[in-house]
Amino acid sequence: MPIGIAGAMVLAGMVGVHAAFAAPSADALISEVYGGGGNSGATYTNDFVELANAGAAPVDLGAYSVQYLPGAPTASSKWQATPLTGSLAGGARYLVQEAAGTGGSTPLPAPDATGAINMSGTSGTVALVTGADPLTCLTAADCAADPRVKDLVGFGTALVHEGGGAAAGASNSASVARASSLADTDDNAADFTAGDPTPQNSGGSGPTQPPTTPPTTPPTTPPVSGVSARIHDIQGDTRNSPLAGKAVKDVTGVVTGVRDYGSSRGFWMQDPTPDANPRTSEGIFVYTSSSPTVAVGDGVSVAGTVSQYYPGGADTGVQAVTEITKPVVTKLSAGNALPAPVVLDDKDVPGAFAPSAGGGSIEDLPLRPTEYALDLYASLEGMNVQVKDTRVVGATDTYGELWVTVKPKQNPTKSGGTLYTGYDQPNSGRLMVQSLIPTATSPFPVANVGDTLRGTTTGPLDYNQFAGTYAVQARQIGTVKSGGLKPEVTAKAAGDQVTVATYNVENLAPGNPQSKFDALAQGLVHNLRAPDIVALEEIQDNNGATDDGTVAADQTLTKLTDAIVAAGGPRYQWREIDPVNDKDGGEPGGNIRQVFLFNAQRVGFTDIAGGDSTTAVGIKGTGDATSLTASPGRIAPNDQAWNTSRKPLVGQFTFRGKKLFVIANHFDSKGGDQGIDSRFQPPVRSSEVQRVRQAILEHDFVQQLETADKKADVVVLGDLNDYQFSPAVQSLTGNGSALTDLVNTLPVKERYSYVYEGNSQVLDHILVSPNLDNRVAYDVVHINAEFSAQTSDHDPQVVRLRP
């Protein structure tokens, strides 16, 4: 599975992991976290972590450290640690000062410990850890299993957190803090709330220091302060609010949607009397952090603070959502008619996607909603919108979301999807659909690509915090009309054709349910017709994501090959090379690798000793005597191009007495790239650099092979994690290489193997040497990517060839 494709999807499998941590702490625990120190709008100059002792006995903190992990960790993310000293008395607090920013006016109270960790103001994970050695866990489940973690708090949209959700509401001006009771239920969303930072040290210094005598008069509610504003005043005519960080009051509107789940609870409201400026939205999200007390149709007046919220953190490149936080909500009326929805259709949504800022931020550019789709959606942020009779271009996923297009003629695939044809063609008509309707009342519709969401789907337009893209939060959702999509079955090969396939099986491990192995086997045997050679990607080791040094994968492969036999297929043999532990990227501890399966009744595998995880394969001999120096072998496994990435696996096969060289690949992921909907336009594809270097190394290896034998039959295949038009793939096919990327031989509407955010795109490839160009029949077998019921997120491919 390519991690983080187009940004904001890093380690996607970790989103929403609900892991139980160790028993709640009875003494030392994390009481407050603030990462906005010194940022724009901050009062305090430094980030901080505050600890508290819920018990009566003192705790020696010399045995502990405070550690930090970014909210959306990648496989290369590292925990940062600040060692602690001294003792934490019963009932007392302890202040850990971290990095300073360039802003803020007020220093923290004298800290009890000092570090230099620069935390995000909006999203991250902080842990109280036994010892000072940095943690290695990167998922909630793995951190829950680490006995060194005494307490852990994920805030914002952090993927690593305790319980059902992260603590919500952190910002440059807001910390997340535990209640004064110091209750610890191991559910960050329940235990922590957002509010003004209140740092307190072990001496009691700080704004949370209790008064020495009780007040003599009952406390009174302070008068609401701030600038009177309409919603369009707050939204302004750019992506940044002109009132960001300021207190506002008397903001009136009608509630158009309520979200009472996850870590971003609140409601949308819209002003029913708009201004005349099409650039300024009349809708806004009010972040309540707890269950909203309003209903759709209520007329409300809101006071609070205007916030520019970056879902996932500003460092991810996503756009900000303008919100009202720390609200005081006054209900004025009920049962009001909702503002008429803005209908999004082919006519009104521009074909051009986003303005260019030369790679810089478009946040402060005036919106041009008639010219760019991304600007149109920004000008409607929070407003009531509607789509009608839309075609599904991204199947329903496990998170209760699907993708539709409001521009049905925009790059259609043969099955009704939307083809991604180039970096300048991100397809402006795509929109995510989610539901505000409780699933117990109305289950989310299950749809495949090519189905139609009939009728009207209506609700506020939101900027989705995980996908980093615009989504209709539906109060009313259409019904699914099937487009009749069926899993494909490839053509049968002739007896003199050898068949070679590639299949990314998405982190396959023995702990997966037997149903996954059975479905993979059915696909290989029936839909792909039992290829003679299969290159598999993402085969995990024998205990999956458990990070204990295990690297062997024989149990995974035995379980798969047994399932293939049970499905009526051949008894495949396999060849692979176990990687060095935790050196090939992917899910931490999973040790994914490529594997060759082959049907020994049809093809032979030439075993040549010497191939291991760190020895580079070479080429010896010329002409008909050309051979690998190791089979299986790995291409340049020690080159930095393959750092934390899979190394290509090369095998030498024979079919009817002729040699066939096969190279199985799984190039580096797209993790870290800025998303299509990024505030930086055009987005930066930072991960591309490593894939280009990988492609050049492999290109040179193939060129050496073809130089040694001009008639060499070579098949290069696998998950290259990039598009047919990308610099990486073109580095593999260009510069004198004679490799042909077979996807370019298909009709344009069939050039896809993966669907992401409603774009049907190519990530998996089969390339062949010139000796095979005119003797191949190639097929992408669509059995997964377009379906809501998937065995893998990739479609397999197969080529029938006559060596």
Side-chain angles (χ1 to χ4, degrees), residues 254-277:
V254 177
V255 176
T256 59
V258 176
R259 180 161 59 201
D260 192 16
Y261 62 86
S263 60
S264 187
R265 288 177 167 86
F267 63 90
W268 289 268
M269 59 184 287
Q270 183 170 333
D271 193 332
T273 55
D275 65 4
N277 188 348

Side-chain angles (χ1 to χ4, degrees), residues 13 78 159 231 237 244 253 283 318 416 442 534 627 640 750:
K78 304 293 183 185
L159 302 179
I231 292 175
D237 63 1
V318 298
S442 178
V534 183
S627 174
Q640 66 181 20
E750 298 179 23

Side-chain angles (χ1 to χ4, degrees), residues 599-654:
N599 181 356
Q601 300 300 312
R602 292 271 301 161
V603 296
F605 188 88
T606 305
D607 288 295
I608 303 172
D612 59 34
S613 59
T614 58
T615 301
V617 65
I619 299 162
K620 60 184 179 181
T622 59
D624 291 342
T626 299
S627 174
L628 302 176
T629 59
S631 176
R634 293 175 123 195
I635 297 176
N638 300 310
D639 192 282
Q640 66 181 20
W642 309 109
N643 288 350
T644 64
S645 183
R646 285 68 55 189
K647 289 71 175 169
L649 184 70
V650 189
Q652 184 171 317
F653 294 85
T654 57

Side-chain angles (χ1 to χ4, degrees), residues 58 66 168 186 213 234 263 557 575 613:
V66 163
D186 276 354
T213 57
I234 297 172
S263 60
L557 293 166
R575 296 291 187 273
S613 59

Side-chain angles (χ1 to χ4, degrees), residues 1-18 71-75 138-140 157-161 397-399 401 464-468 506-507 538 586-588 669-672 754-757 790 793-794:
M1 178 173 61
I3 301 173
I5 295 175
M9 278 297 279
V10 288
L11 297 183
M14 300 191 302
V15 175
V17 173
H18 298 174
T74 66
L138 296 176
T139 68
T157 55
L159 302 179
V160 180
H161 55 74
D397 62 23
T398 56
Y399 303 108
E401 55 197 29
N464 178 274
Q465 58 180 321
F466 292 118
E506 194 177 6
N507 289 322
E538 292 197 18
E587 190 174 14
S669 82
K670 288 182 172 290
Y754 190 88
V755 179
Y756 180 70
E757 292 190 353
Q790 298 181 346
D793 47 355
H794 292 251

